[in-house]
Amino acid sequence: MSSPRRLDQLLAALGYGSRRDAQALVKAGRVRLSGVPASRADLRVQPAEVTVDGQPLEAPDGLLVLLHKPLGLTCSHNPAEGDLIYDLLPPRWLQRSPALTSVGRLDKDTSGLLLLTDRGDWVHRWTSPRTHLPKIYEATLDRDMPADLPALFAAGTLQLRNEPHPCQPAQLEILAPRHARLTLTEGRYHQVRRMFASQGLHVETLHRTHFGHLSLGDLPPGQYRVLPSADAVTSPPL
Ligand code: URA
């Protein structure tokens, strides 16, 4: 069981408005504790006993979301960067504290599986180089791949410009002369595009289908699913 928290602070942290808004919800009788209307907003409560308008609190122990990122949106909270992935999500999620952030990023011109969470320990778990979680991408290229490219990417010797260490071994499958599936266990800046560019190939489209044990399945672009918190920790332990 999690430790008790002040009701108004809990509601504010989960995106139900400011603390003042939370107090108003309580006053209006919309908040119940084990089915009984809450009498005050400063009571210490267990999240599991609280309902708002008859609904249990949303993801009180942390929100984990799988988004099919469409092309053209940026993984940023800064509106100056154009259309943002966060514009796709329910406003209440964007009022949570700690803030909902993406687990790593996909480029504006990359589509596919993106995780978001408000739990820093989950971000760490999914992005730590020590976990070696596989990330699977499909890429189309501007010219045919040389036959020795899979061996080169698998060797663990590919050196990218301005990087102190070579890339970890990566698995490349040539699905068609200009269509590849690439499995990485690390996440460097623009890594897929830079790996191909190092061999004179330009990535024309890039799409991530898997991250760890999670896959996009048939989730349409722009749609998302809330994942059970068990999914945050079923990746290999650190
Ligand atoms: N590698 C890239 O080059 N871009 C991405 O968005 C993800 C991986």
Side-chain angles (χ1 to χ4, degrees):
M1 210 194 293
S2 43
S3 47
R5 297 173 63 184
R6 236 182 91 137
L7 181 56
D8 52 357
Q9 290 174 356
L10 174 69
L11 292 173
L14 297 181
Y16 290 82
S18 63
R19 272 172 63 190
R20 191 178 286 259
D21 294 333
Q23 287 157 9
L25 283 175
V26 169
K27 267 216 170 106
R30 294 169 59 187
V31 182
R32 290 176 177 256
L33 305 177
S34 303
V36 178
S39 53
R40 292 170 39 184
D42 62 356
L43 296 174
R44 292 198 159 263
V45 299
Q46 287 291 345
E49 67 181 326
V50 182
T51 56
V52 178
D53 296 332
Q55 300 299 316
L57 295 180
E58 194 171 26
D61 298 324
L63 185 59
L64 181 67
V65 178
L66 188 158
L67 170 70
H68 185 160
K69 179 194 174 294
L71 295 172
L73 301 190
T74 305
C75 295
S76 163
H77 283 285
N78 181 1
E81 296 191 39
D83 294 331
L84 308 179
I85 53 166
Y86 298 100
D87 300 338
L88 298 170
L89 304 176
R92 183 189 290 161
W93 292 358
L94 308 183
Q95 293 187 52
R96 287 174 73 109
S97 172
L100 189 66
T101 63
S102 62
V103 178
R105 290 175 178 219
L106 292 176
D107 302 334
K108 187 172 181 179
D109 295 338
T110 303
S111 57
L113 193 163
L114 186 69
L115 288 179
L116 299 115
T117 183
D118 56 356
R119 290 257 315 237
D121 58 333
W122 291 352
V123 174
H124 177 69
R125 192 176 186 96
W126 282 82
T127 56
S128 165
R130 289 169 56 205
T131 54
H132 297 292
L133 283 182
K135 291 179 272 277
I136 306 183
Y137 298 88
E138 289 204 13
T140 57
L141 302 150
D142 66 338
R143 62 188 70 191
D144 293 4
M145 283 171 275
D148 61 355
L149 202 58
L152 177 68
F153 282 4
T157 54
L158 185 74
Q159 185 69 50
L160 300 177
R161 209 179 295 166
N162 298 327
E163 293 279 347
H165 305 293
C167 295
Q168 295 284 324
Q171 188 192 342
L172 177 68
E173 290 167 74
I174 299 185
L175 304 173
R178 299 183 183 193
H179 183 194
R181 182 180 296 131
L182 182 63
T183 305
L184 301 183
T185 56
E186 54 181 350
R188 304 184 193 201
Y189 181 66
H190 289 174
Q191 183 166 351
V192 176
R193 292 176 204 275
R194 288 166 69 211
M195 286 175 73
F196 283 108
S198 74
Q199 304 307 308
L201 293 151
H202 176 72
V203 171
E204 294 196 320
T205 67
L206 185 58
H207 177 75
R208 182 158 72 189
T209 58
H210 293 78
F211 189 169
H213 68 287
L214 299 173
S215 73
L216 209 46
D218 53 10
L219 190 68
Q223 301 291 305
Y224 50 79
R225 296 195 269 126
V226 175
L227 299 178
S229 53
D231 269 321
V233 292
T234 47
S235 54
L238 288 178

